[in-house]
Amino acid sequence: MAEPVKRPYRSPARAAAAAVTRERIREAAGRLFTAQGFAATTMKQVATDAGVGERTLYDAFPTKAQLFGHILAVATVGDEQPIRVAERPEIIAAHEAADPREAISLFVAYSSDLLERAGDLIMVSVEAAGTDPDMRAAADAGSRAHHEVMLAFAQALDARGALRPGLDTTTAADILYALSSPHMHQLLRRHRGWGAERYRNWLTEALVRELLGE
């Protein structure tokens, strides 16, 4: 008779403590990356700021690029669940909304909240892309994923006949991609000091004008 397979024991208390440690690391790393940039931030600084040992930090994240990728991924979706942006309930609700203007409003609400969490970190990756190949790869992958989300939403609007006459889905996706980009968010929210509500209202109205027919 075969021996039963022994499953590794996972202590709930240990898992909870590890989650708290990861959160402290994310908060510390996010502050440092945003304030100093990717190149100037060291793993030693992150460990010190998070109140953990360097060995603990390297055990969890063997490289600085892996650490950055983790905190950006969590900031993008808002949690550690392995659910992509395209599969989040808020995006699905925007796709399924019967009224196109309401669909855009729901889409903007989610995307602007995403940029409030992750926009500064995305711009860190963009700024570091010119000198670091790992960051270049991360920035390029993020850009492709962003456009894929925009194209899927443009196709959802087109499927209900909502796009204005003469506007194809690729151009509509490009408009969404540009106006809701982290670059535009950075310009208006950080450089020009717009409030979050003003930014959301502007983006909603701009997309309604650009995308919808009469």
Side-chain angles (χ1 to χ4, degrees), residues 22-177:
R22 285 196 305 275
E23 184 175 1
R24 289 211 316 271
I25 291 170
R26 283 197 300 271
E27 289 176 353
R31 285 193 302 269
L32 289 165
F33 283 133
T34 300
Q36 301 179 165
F38 181 78
T41 298
T42 67
M43 295 289 271
K44 182 176 182 179
Q45 286 176 324
V46 173
T48 299
D49 211 48
V52 302
E54 282 189 72
R55 170 59 69 87
T56 298
L57 179 59
Y58 276 105
D59 284 346
F61 306 102
T63 70
K64 187 166 65 167
Q66 288 176 317
L67 170 60
F68 185 88
H70 170 74
I71 65 171
L72 179 56
V74 172
T76 297
V77 296
D79 54 49
E80 292 190 77
Q81 297 300 313
I83 303 173
R84 299 182 306 143
V85 168
E87 297 167 351
R88 292 279 160 167
E90 298 89 341
I91 293 295
I92 293 172
H95 281 223
E96 295 177 348
D99 176 56
R101 188 183 179 103
E102 176 65 13
I104 288 176
S105 180
L106 290 170
F107 190 82
V108 167
Y110 181 82
S111 62
S112 59
D113 284 347
L114 185 158
L115 289 173
E116 289 298 311
R117 294 190 304 267
D120 292 337
L121 287 169
I122 293 171
M123 293 308 298
V124 169
S125 72
V126 171
E127 290 160 5
T131 57
D132 188 291
D134 289 329
M135 297 300 279
R136 165 59 67 185
D140 289 347
S143 181
R144 288 193 299 271
H146 179 60
H147 194 273
E148 287 170 4
V149 170
M150 301 303 125
L151 181 59
F153 183 58
Q155 290 169 338
L157 290 174
D158 186 54
R160 63 171 63 99
L163 294 181
R164 60 178 168 80
L167 183 62
D168 61 86
T169 54
T170 300
T171 304
D174 290 347
I175 291 169
L176 282 157
Y177 177 78

Side-chain angles (χ1 to χ4, degrees), residues 155-211:
Q155 290 169 338
L157 290 174
D158 186 54
R160 63 171 63 99
L163 294 181
R164 60 178 168 80
L167 183 62
D168 61 86
T169 54
T170 300
T171 304
D174 290 347
I175 291 169
L176 282 157
Y177 177 78
L179 292 182
S180 64
S181 69
H183 308 71
M184 184 69 77
H185 179 267
Q186 184 87 357
L187 286 172
L188 296 178
R189 286 284 287 120
R190 305 295 183 246
H191 293 206
R192 297 305 307 154
W194 283 24
E197 183 177 2
R198 182 184 180 188
Y199 168 79
R200 283 194 303 270
N201 290 340
W202 167 80
L203 183 55
T204 300
E205 293 304 318
L207 291 176
V208 166
R209 286 194 305 271
E210 290 292 327
L211 300 180

